[in-house]
Amino acid sequence: METRKRADARRNEATLLDAAAAAFVEAGVDAPVRDIAARAGVGVATIYRHFPTRADLIVAVYRHQVEACAEAGPALLAEGGSPHAALGTWINLFVDFLVTKHGLAAALRSDDAAFDKLHAYFLDRLVPVCAQLLDAAAEAGEINPGTDALELMFGVGNLCIGAENHPQYNARHMVALVIAGLRR
Amino acid sequence: METRKRADARRNEATLLDAAAAAFVEAGVDAPVRDIAARAGVGVATIYRHFPTRADLIVAVYRHQVEACAEAGPALLAEGGSPHAALGTWINLFVDFLVTKHGLAAALRSDDAAFDKLHAYFLDRLVPVCAQLLDAAAEAGEINPGTDALELMFGVGNLCIGAENHPQYNARHMVALVIAGLRR
DNA sequence: TGGAAAACGGAACACGGTTCCGTATGTTCG
DNA sequence: CGAACATACGGAACCGTGTTCCGTTTTCCA
């Protein structure tokens, strides 16, 4: 069996997740480490012990939402509508997720090494789903084949940066153009 | 006449522009203030005296290139080809500019107040040009009207973030999709 | 040439991430 | 039950970067 963690450690981890989630809502995923620690009533080192990089913490906080998004892909395809429509709907789910998490899109695109894990997690989990949707649409002759799923996800992620500020900019409009541009 | 600046001040300003340009090429537009100062052989305060915010420095370094891009818009239209093609070519000029300036796209999208001037400068200078091209294409019936030039520029800028790293991502592919998506 | 005004340099400060280490607490075994 | 060990903790200390302050130097004009 795996070595059992100490009770206080498990308790602190849960407390930290709550505190981080709250801090992220208020101040974005760049919320200062000290703030999160203070909110949870622990020392800063405790955060680093449980989540060595900020990416680990972000992944832990949002893991279930990412899973839900990943699982929605095949479900949309199974509904039997047009694959292109399914792709569009799914991308919009992803956009909804990103734009409601202040700064997450910016963190995702960051090339800072600390965010490699975040990058890897999102890509590992979501790119295959996107690829599946792209393949289905290409097979149905609705879009031109040859678009790389990774590139598409990267681009959509980029389009979502700064969407929550700047009210003049609506990421969904640009994403819609991209989806339209895929059409054969 | 405007109050004449001291000779050493003018000299330092020119030196700083050179140093900053060099630093930007090597380390991107986020190059540490101290590095730029050291390169120019001046103290850090001298930078702040001449360019109160980083945005001022960036604008000063790239002003002529932005002007060139702005002037290319009407020129492309005047060449007599299809307005939609002109729009595509012009956007690609803009993309070329952004992706060769490490971190500039990221700075542009930043909502940090320090970059307001950078934002304003780019938008004031380039959005009208983009709008002109959009209008021409719409009038020619090549694209659907209703796309906001500001939104398009913002989106294209976002797509260029991180293009110079991540070799798997080519901003131009995504931009091409957006341009294609504009088509009626 | 003298002195006021302009400009300078670098030390000092602020702030956020990261690490270290002495202390406290949970756990296990006699 | 209680001692001893491992685990986890807190917060002070450290580092890098942007920003400001102030005593000193340079320019320029009278």
Side-chain angles (χ1 to χ4, degrees):
Chain A
M1 74 172 247
E2 66 272 21
T3 58
R4 203 175 138 71
K5 266 201 268 194
R6 251 171 60 170
D8 57 344
R10 259 176 299 128
R11 214 178 326 115
N12 270 330
E13 187 164 323
T15 307
L16 269 174
L17 279 177
D18 285 350
F24 288 175
V25 168
E26 256 182 48
V29 295
D30 293 321
V33 181
R34 284 170 176 77
D35 286 4
I36 302 173
R39 221 183 256 264
V42 304
V44 284
T46 299
I47 292 188
Y48 283 94
R49 221 168 288 116
H50 287 284
F51 309 100
T53 73
R54 183 173 291 267
D56 295 313
L57 183 55
I58 298 174
V59 168
V61 167
Y62 293 130
R63 170 158 269 150
H64 48 302
Q65 295 192 48
V66 174
E67 291 305 314
C69 186
E71 285 162 15
L76 283 168
L77 266 186
E79 279 178 13
S82 127
H84 180 270
L87 175 62
T89 306
W90 184 76
I91 293 280
N92 270 301
L93 282 180
F94 180 55
V95 171
D96 285 341
F97 174 61
L98 284 187
V99 299
T100 54
K101 311 295 179 260
H102 191 79
L104 179 56
L108 259 187
R109 66 85 199 166
S110 164
D111 53 352
D112 184 336
F115 288 101
D116 277 355
K117 278 189 192 152
L118 185 64
H119 219 88
Y121 172 64
F122 268 76
L123 265 40
D124 286 356
R125 201 67 191 87
L126 297 180
V127 166
V129 176
C130 183
Q132 187 184 351
L133 287 157
L134 277 172
D135 284 349
E139 219 165 290
E142 295 179 325
I143 67 173
N144 284 313
T147 298
D148 185 37
L150 173 63
E151 210 161 55
L152 181 59
M153 295 293 293
F154 202 110
V156 170
N158 270 6
L159 285 175
C160 293
I161 296 175
E164 64 273 15
N165 325 316
H166 273 280
Q168 336 163 34
Y169 175 66
N170 187 336
R172 288 180 189 77
H173 292 167
M174 284 298 119
V175 172
L177 281 182
V178 170
I179 302 294
L182 283 168
R183 264 236 145 79
R184 176 181 293 274
Chain B
M1 78 173 245
E2 66 271 23
T3 58
R4 200 175 142 72
K5 264 200 266 193
R6 253 171 59 169
D8 58 344
R10 257 177 301 126
R11 215 177 325 116
N12 271 329
E13 187 163 324
T15 307
L16 268 174
L17 279 178
D18 285 349
F24 287 175
V25 168
E26 256 182 46
V29 296
D30 293 322
V33 181
R34 283 168 178 76
D35 286 4
I36 301 174
R39 220 182 255 264
V42 304
V44 284
T46 300
I47 293 187
Y48 283 96
R49 221 168 287 114
H50 286 284
F51 308 100
T53 72
R54 182 173 291 267
D56 295 313
L57 183 55
I58 297 174
V59 168
V61 167
Y62 293 130
R63 169 158 270 148
H64 48 303
Q65 295 192 46
V66 174
E67 292 304 316
C69 186
E71 285 162 17
L76 283 168
L77 265 186
E79 278 176 16
S82 129
H84 181 268
L87 175 62
T89 305
W90 185 76
I91 293 279
N92 270 302
L93 283 180
F94 181 54
V95 171
D96 285 340
F97 174 61
L98 284 187
V99 299
T100 54
K101 313 293 180 262
H102 190 81
L104 180 54
L108 259 187
R109 67 84 200 166
S110 162
D111 55 350
D112 185 335
F115 289 102
D116 277 356
K117 278 187 191 153
L118 185 64
H119 218 89
Y121 173 64
F122 268 76
L123 265 41
D124 286 357
R125 200 68 192 83
L126 299 179
V127 167
V129 176
C130 183
Q132 187 184 351
L133 287 158
L134 277 172
D135 284 349
E139 220 165 288
E142 295 179 325
I143 68 173
N144 284 313
T147 298
D148 185 37
L150 173 64
E151 210 160 55
L152 182 58
M153 295 293 292
F154 202 110
V156 170
N158 271 4
L159 285 176
C160 293
I161 296 174
E164 64 272 20
N165 324 316
H166 272 277
Q168 337 164 32
Y169 175 67
N170 186 336
R172 289 180 189 76
H173 292 167
M174 284 297 119
V175 172
L177 282 181
V178 170
I179 303 294
L182 283 168
R183 264 237 145 79
R184 177 183 293 275

